[in-house]
Amino acid sequence: MKPILMYSKSIIIAIAFFGLSYSYGQETFSSRLLDSKTEEPVAFATIQFNYKSGVISNDNGEFNITIKRDVTATDSLMISCLGYEEKRIPLLNFDNSNIYLKPKTVDLSEVLVTNKNYTIDEILDKIEDGLYTNYDFGYAKRKLFFRASKYIHMDKRYVDLEESTIPEINQHFVDSLIQIIPESIDNHTEILGELYGEISRGKPQKMEILKASRLFDKSTEVDLNNYAERLNGILKKHIKRDSYFKIKSGWFSVKQDIDTTLFDENQEKTVSKPLLAEQNKRDSIQKLNFLPEKKTMIHQFENNNFIDEDNDLNFIHKSRRYEFEISDYAYIDDMFVYVITFEPKRREDFAGTMYVNTEDFAVVRVDYNNVESLSDFSLLGISSKKYLKKGTIIFRKNSNEKYVLKYRDETLGEQFGIKRPLKIVEKNKNVRGRRKQNEIKAEIHFIGRNIEKTELVVFETAVITASDYANFKEKTLVKPTHLSQYDPEFWKGYNIIEPNKALKDFKVLDTEN
C-alpha cells in the first residue's frame, strides 16, 4: 500500500504544482492615468510591456493589461502619450493605484533646429504628397480588439387609436404593446481577432475571431414574439383568407398580402414549434453572417479616414476650404510633431487638431468633431438630424517603417422622429358588396435619439505576403457569446480596451437565464 500511497501523493503534488504554475503564470494590471497637475484623465495613452505589445487607455484614462508569465524584477510598463513625459512603472510591486503623468515641455532650441521655417501651405503640400507613401496599404495581419456600442432612447412613444373595427385591437391593446418597448435600449458587440489582407480600402479580408460577445436584452425579442402570436390569433379570427391590407399614411399607400400560413389549422396546436424553429433559424443565420459582417465593418472602419479622397474628413484633400494654424509643438513616441489646428472657412463640417511628424510630414494623430449638423431632414412628419460626429485616429510605424492604424474611436449621434396618420384597411374583392372589410386608423408620434460609439485598437501589425493571405483558412461559423450583463471575468486574461462606465453598468433586469 505504501508505494500506491506515495504514488498518489506524487500525483496530487504534481497537480497542485501545475495549478499554481497556471494561476501565477499570468497577471493582470489595472490602473488609471491622470495628469499630475490637473488630475484630469489622460486618454489614448500607449501602455507597453517592456516596450513590446501593449494597450491603449480609454477616454477615462483607464487601462487593463495582462502579462502571460511570471513578473520579474526587470519587468515594467512603459507609458507614453502626446504631451507627457514617458514613464516607466516597475511591475514587481505594482499596486493598481492611479498613475500620474507629468506634462512635457518643448525645448525651444529643438524647435528652431527642427522647424525649417516652412509655411503652413508648404507643410500641407508635403502632408498631401506623403499620403500614399507614408502609410502602409499592403498585406498585413492585424491583431485587434473591436467594440461597437449603440444607445437608443425614446423621448416620445405615442399612438392615438382613432378608429378600429376589430374589438380586440383597442387603445388598451396598443398601449400595452408600446409599453413592452423599452424607453432606452443599448447593446454592445466586442470582438478579439486577427484580420488578414491588404489594408487598402475595399480589398477582401479574412478573419479569425478568437473571442466575441454581445450584450443585449433578449427578453424584448421574447415579449414581441408573444405579442405577435397574440396578434396573429386576433387577425385569424377577424380577417378573411383571400383578403389583403392597404396601408396608407397621408398621400402614400402600399398593398400588403396576407401570409396564408396564418390560416394553418394546426397552428394553435404547434404554436411553440414554429417559434422554436424561427429562433433556430435566427441562430443559424447569425452564426453564418457574424464573421463576414463584422470583418467588413472593421475593415471599413480602419480605412474611413482622411487618407481617402472620397471622405467627409476632407481637411487634407480640400485644404483650401479650411483655416490652419501651427498652434504648438509636441512629442509623440519620440516623434517631434507640429500641432496644427483646423476649422472650416465656410460650409465644411469639421474642426480639430492634427499632429504631424516634422521629419516625414505624416499625420500621426487627428482629433476631430463636427461644428455644424451633418444633415437635417424634415418632410411630411418624418425628421432626421445627424448632429454629432467626433473621434480620434492614431497611427504608429510598423516593421516596414510605414504608418499603420494603432487606435480609432468615433461617436455618431442622430435624432429622429415621425408624426403621421396611419390607416390600415382590409380589402377583399371576392366578398359581395363593399370591398372594405376592416379598418384601423391612428395617429403615431415617435421621437428618439441614437448614439453609436465604435472603438478599434490594433495591438500588433505583422507584414505578410499574398500567399500567406491566400493560404489562411477562415472558420466561417462563429456565434458571439450572449451576455445579459457586463462580466469582467469574460475578458480576463485578454488585452482589450477598458470599457466605459455605461458598458460596465449594463444589466438586463428581471431576465431569466
Side-chain angles (χ1 to χ4, degrees):
M1 291 295 291
K2 285 184 179 181
I4 295 175
L5 184 62
M6 290 176 63
Y7 181 72
S8 300
K9 286 182 177 180
S10 299
I11 293 176
I12 293 170
I13 291 170
I15 292 173
F17 178 78
F18 177 80
L20 286 171
S21 299
Y22 181 80
S23 300
Y24 291 99
Q26 174 173 292
E27 290 189 61
T28 298
F29 302 89
S30 304
S31 185
R32 189 181 185 209
L33 305 179
L34 299 175
D35 185 297
S36 62
K37 292 185 177 179
T38 66
E39 297 197 355
E40 291 293 317
V42 178
F44 314 135
T46 299
I47 301 95
Q48 292 181 295
F49 172 60
N50 290 348
Y51 282 110
K52 296 179 181 178
S53 61
V55 296
I56 297 281
S57 63
N58 67 8
D59 51 13
N60 198 36
E62 299 165 323
F63 73 88
N64 187 311
I65 186 169
T66 297
I67 311 302
K68 296 189 175 182
R69 64 165 174 79
D70 291 328
V71 171
T72 67
T74 59
D75 289 331
S76 59
L77 295 182
M78 309 306 299
I79 301 172
S80 59
C81 187
L82 168 69
Y84 291 91
E85 293 183 359
E86 187 176 82
K87 188 158 189 172
R88 177 179 175 273
I89 306 293
L91 286 179
L92 201 57
N93 297 311
F94 193 90
D95 60 1
N96 295 326
S97 60
N98 291 338
I99 297 173
Y100 292 88
L101 301 184
K102 184 178 179 181
K104 185 172 184 176
T105 56
V106 176
D107 188 341
L108 290 178
S109 63
E110 293 180 86
V111 174
L112 294 173
V113 170
T114 306
N115 182 13
K116 297 181 174 63
N117 294 320
Y118 290 116
T119 67
I120 189 64
D121 289 335
E122 289 173 329
I123 293 172
L124 292 170
D125 287 340
K126 289 180 178 294
I127 291 172
E128 189 167 3
D129 290 342
L131 283 180
Y132 300 105
T133 56
N134 278 326
Y135 301 89
D136 199 339
F137 304 99
Y139 284 97
K141 179 180 80 170
R142 291 90 82 198
K143 185 172 183 180
L144 55 86
F145 179 79
F146 174 81
R147 177 184 292 132
S149 299
K150 294 185 179 181
Y151 307 87
I152 300 173
H153 182 80
M154 299 303 300
D155 297 310
K156 175 166 273 189
R157 302 170 295 162
Y158 182 68
V159 176
D160 180 18
L161 190 65
E162 298 173 350
E163 180 184 339
S164 174
T165 60
I166 300 176
E168 293 91 336
I169 300 180
N170 50 38
Q171 189 68 53
H172 177 73
F173 176 80
V174 172
D175 290 343
S176 64
L177 179 58
I178 291 174
Q179 286 303 311
I180 70 167
I181 303 173
E183 186 176 286
S184 295
I185 303 173
D186 59 295
N187 65 75
H188 312 268
T189 300
E190 297 181 313
I191 298 171
L192 182 69
E194 294 176 339
L195 193 64
Y196 295 74
E198 290 181 85
I199 299 176
S200 298
R201 182 180 182 181
K203 296 294 184 179
Q205 303 291 301
K206 295 180 181 180
M207 188 173 189
E208 180 176 6
I209 293 181
L210 305 174
K211 198 171 187 180
S213 69
R214 285 195 66 212
L215 283 80
F216 68 101
D217 189 349
K218 270 188 174 181
S219 65
T220 304
E221 294 181 2
V222 175
D223 289 341
L224 289 175
N225 281 335
N226 291 337
Y227 264 84
E229 181 184 336
R230 182 178 166 188
L231 184 60
N232 284 343
I234 294 171
L235 295 177
K236 181 178 178 181
K237 179 180 176 182
H238 289 278
I239 68 174
K240 296 175 176 58
R241 180 186 292 268
D242 52 354
S243 292
Y244 64 91
F245 289 130
K246 195 78 172 180
I247 303 172
K248 188 174 183 181
S249 179
W251 297 339
F252 306 101
S253 65
V254 64
K255 179 181 175 181
Q256 176 65 53
D257 293 326
I258 295 172
D259 188 354
T260 56
T261 60
L262 182 68
F263 300 96
D264 186 356
E265 295 298 326
N266 298 318
Q267 186 188 28
E268 292 183 5
K269 298 178 183 178
T270 61
V271 68
S272 62
K273 290 184 179 179
L275 289 176
L276 182 60
E278 184 65 27
Q279 181 61 49
N280 289 337
K281 181 180 177 181
R282 284 201 300 267
D283 289 345
S284 298
I285 292 173
Q286 185 185 39
K287 187 179 288 188
L288 189 64
N289 292 342
F290 186 76
L291 185 141
E293 285 179 357
K294 299 311 177 188
K295 74 179 179 184
T296 300
M297 182 185 297
I298 293 170
H299 185 50
Q300 289 176 345
F301 189 65
E302 75 171 338
N303 279 281
N304 185 19
N305 58 50
F306 59 86
I307 298 174
D308 183 15
E309 189 170 358
D310 186 22
N311 193 285
D312 55 1
L313 295 176
N314 59 4
F315 51 88
I316 298 298
H317 290 288
K318 297 181 179 179
S319 58
R320 285 185 173 84
R321 300 183 182 183
Y322 292 84
E323 294 281 0
F324 295 88
E325 181 184 356
I326 302 174
S327 62
D328 205 348
Y329 298 85
Y331 287 96
I332 303 179
D333 294 342
D334 295 327
M335 291 181 289
F336 193 50
V337 299
Y338 298 103
V339 181
I340 301 176
T341 58
F342 60 91
E343 59 183 28
K345 287 181 180 178
R346 289 179 290 275
R347 300 186 62 183
E348 293 301 326
D349 298 318
F350 296 95
T353 305
M354 60 179 174
Y355 303 85
V356 181
N357 191 334
T358 56
E359 292 186 3
D360 55 20
F361 298 92
V363 179
V364 296
R365 173 170 170 166
V366 172
D367 301 315
Y368 61 91
N369 61 275
N370 64 300
V371 293
E372 300 285 347
S373 294
L374 302 176
S375 66
D376 196 347
F377 170 84
S378 181
L379 181 66
L380 300 175
I382 299 173
S383 62
S384 172
K385 181 178 181 180
K386 295 181 179 178
Y387 66 90
L388 175 64
K389 182 173 180 177
K390 65 177 183 178
T392 294
I393 307 171
I394 299 174
F395 289 93
R396 293 290 183 269
K397 281 187 177 180
N398 64 2
S399 58
N400 274 349
E401 290 297 304
K402 298 276 190 177
Y403 291 92
V404 292
L405 185 69
K406 175 65 178 177
Y407 177 80
R408 173 139 201 241
D409 87 317
E410 187 170 76
T411 302
L412 305 174
E414 181 179 10
Q415 295 173 332
F416 55 88
I418 178 168
K419 186 178 182 181
R420 291 187 59 79
L422 178 67
K423 182 191 291 187
I424 303 174
V425 180
E426 177 199 355
K427 290 190 174 184
N428 192 304
K429 62 183 178 181
N430 298 322
V431 177
R432 289 184 180 181
R434 294 179 59 194
R435 296 177 67 181
K436 185 168 74 173
Q437 303 299 303
N438 287 291
E439 182 176 5
I440 297 172
K441 291 175 64 177
E443 184 78 22
I444 59 176
H445 194 185
F446 290 87
I447 299 175
R449 290 167 285 147
N450 178 37
I451 296 286
E452 296 184 20
K453 182 174 176 61
T454 309
E455 299 172 275
L456 173 65
V457 59
V458 182
F459 300 115
E460 301 170 17
T461 301
V463 177
I464 62 173
T465 64
S467 59
D468 291 332
Y469 169 77
N471 293 331
F472 176 75
K473 303 299 181 185
E474 284 184 323
K475 297 177 183 177
T476 55
L477 297 180
V478 178
K479 184 181 178 184
T481 300
H482 169 250
L483 300 175
S484 59
Q485 68 179 55
Y486 175 72
D487 180 7
E489 294 297 312
F490 183 82
W491 290 108
K492 188 174 182 179
Y494 296 90
N495 288 329
I496 65 169
I497 306 168
E498 187 69 6
N500 59 22
K501 187 176 185 300
L503 200 155
K504 288 180 179 179
D505 291 344
F506 181 91
K507 184 177 182 180
V508 177
L509 300 177
D510 301 323
T511 299
E512 293 182 6
N513 293 308

